[in-house]
Amino acid sequence: IKVIRFWVALKVMAAELEKAFRPDVVRPVKIGSGTIDPEMKLSVLAFLLGFLVVFLGGAMAVQLAEGPDCSMLTSTTASLACIANVGPGLGLIGPTENYGWMSPTSKVVLSLLMVLGRLEFFAIVVLFTPRFWRGG
């Protein structure tokens, strides 16, 4: 995830918070000297929500595949480390550990998360939508 996406999301949240207590104020969301158009705001928020859903889904899949031997800390940081390509996780996959003890199911899930995180996220997810294959 690029930092600018977080920055845009924070600016959008601040604007929506201001709109909650000042409904008559119309203030554009700006980054630097440029204004962010509504379509861009929506696409950034959709990307972050999709990232969060896939990250949590991956963490739950790893937790289910590994069972009680794997802590929630280990499964969530394994999922985050793979989808965000940020390095080692915490717990049983920390800086001095590896993924060798995990089941093949967990390794497949984490490998898919790595592919999603490394390539453009929406470009891969769109391949799994029926509308893409129908051509319309």
Side-chain angles (χ1 to χ4, degrees):
I1 295 183
K2 295 178 174 78
V3 174
I4 190 68
R5 288 181 176 141
F6 280 120
W7 191 243
V8 169
L10 288 174
K11 291 275 196 166
V12 168
M13 287 191 301
E16 290 300 316
L17 182 65
E18 183 180 27
K19 192 185 287 187
F21 65 88
R22 289 182 170 170
D24 296 332
V25 172
V26 177
R27 191 181 323 266
V29 176
K30 289 185 168 192
I31 300 290
S33 61
T35 303
I36 305 296
D37 63 333
E39 187 176 311
M40 179 63 73
K41 292 189 293 190
L42 183 61
S43 70
V44 166
L45 294 176
F47 179 87
L48 290 175
L49 181 62
F51 184 89
L52 182 66
V53 166
V54 171
F55 155 65
L56 292 175
M60 288 191 308
V62 169
Q63 186 67 42
L64 288 172
E66 295 304 323
D69 295 336
C70 180
S71 68
M72 198 62 171
L73 176 71
T74 299
S75 63
T76 54
T77 58
S79 178
L80 183 62
C82 289
I83 196 168
N85 295 303
V86 294
L90 301 172
L92 297 175
I93 53 143
T96 60
E97 303 294 331
N98 59 43
Y99 295 85
W101 60 272
M102 291 184 144
S103 68
T105 304
S106 293
K107 290 177 186 175
V108 167
V109 167
L110 294 174
S111 295
L112 289 174
L113 289 176
M114 282 185 190
V115 168
L116 278 174
R118 197 69 177 137
L119 302 175
E120 184 57 40
F121 189 73
F122 280 144
I124 300 297
V125 173
V126 79
L127 292 175
F128 296 102
T129 61
R131 181 180 279 179
F132 173 77
W133 295 106
R134 280 183 277 167

